[in-house]
Amino acid sequence: MHVHLVFVTKFRHKVFADRHLSRMEAIMRDVCADFEAELVEFNGENNHVHLLVNFPPKVAVARLVNSLKGVSSRRLRQEFPDLTRHYYRANKLWSGSYFAGSVGGAPLSVVKQYIEQQNRPG
């Protein structure tokens, strides 16, 4: 099964640079592997990220999302202290909500192309 996920930063702060997104992609690939899932496509902008994930039906999307957001938030805040100044009160990187849309068949290539075309910060 394929799902298109979108995570937005807490308070929509514009905090990500390319170095943050590159590291985040690696972290999220590792989390997906723990769930026997595959991160097919990843990209983002300065305040949100898009993921296209292929996962087995035995995995609950909410559990996968909680792990992706939790692990990435914790590791990024540890590895990039500059991110913490934006979240000194909330101590969270991500907004509590997320978008999850199931994807399959022909539109899969369209979603992949859409994610590839995000305006990644330099």
Side-chain angles (χ1 to χ4, degrees):
M1 296 171 49
H2 287 86
V3 66
H4 175 201
L5 300 171
V6 181
F7 305 151
V8 178
T9 58
K10 188 85 172 169
F11 311 122
R12 278 258 207 221
H13 283 253
K14 297 178 178 182
V15 298
F16 298 139
D18 186 55
R19 64 193 173 100
H20 301 120
L21 295 174
S22 295
R23 180 62 182 128
M24 189 184 317
E25 181 176 3
I27 291 168
M28 291 192 172
R29 281 194 191 284
D30 290 344
V31 172
C32 284
D34 291 343
F35 281 85
E36 298 175 13
E38 175 193 7
L39 183 59
V40 177
E41 193 64 47
F42 175 92
N43 207 349
E45 296 187 9
N46 56 12
N47 66 354
H48 70 280
V49 294
H50 291 263
L51 298 84
L52 181 59
V53 180
N54 183 11
F55 65 100
K58 67 181 181 179
V59 173
V61 174
R63 235 180 100 229
L64 176 63
V65 166
N66 286 340
S67 194
L68 286 166
K69 289 171 68 177
V71 172
S72 63
S73 176
R74 188 172 50 257
R75 288 195 187 159
L76 286 171
R77 286 182 293 114
Q78 287 171 345
E79 295 176 26
F80 298 100
D82 59 306
L83 292 177
T84 5
R85 66 185 162 93
H86 296 283
Y87 304 102
Y88 62 93
R89 280 180 280 160
N91 205 25
K92 293 178 184 172
L93 180 61
W94 301 113
S95 163
S97 60
Y98 61 92
F99 167 81
S102 62
V103 183
L108 192 59
S109 61
V110 175
V111 173
K112 188 174 178 180
Q113 182 182 12
Y114 172 74
I115 293 172
E116 288 172 351
Q117 292 174 349
Q118 292 294 300
N119 292 323
R120 192 174 188 133

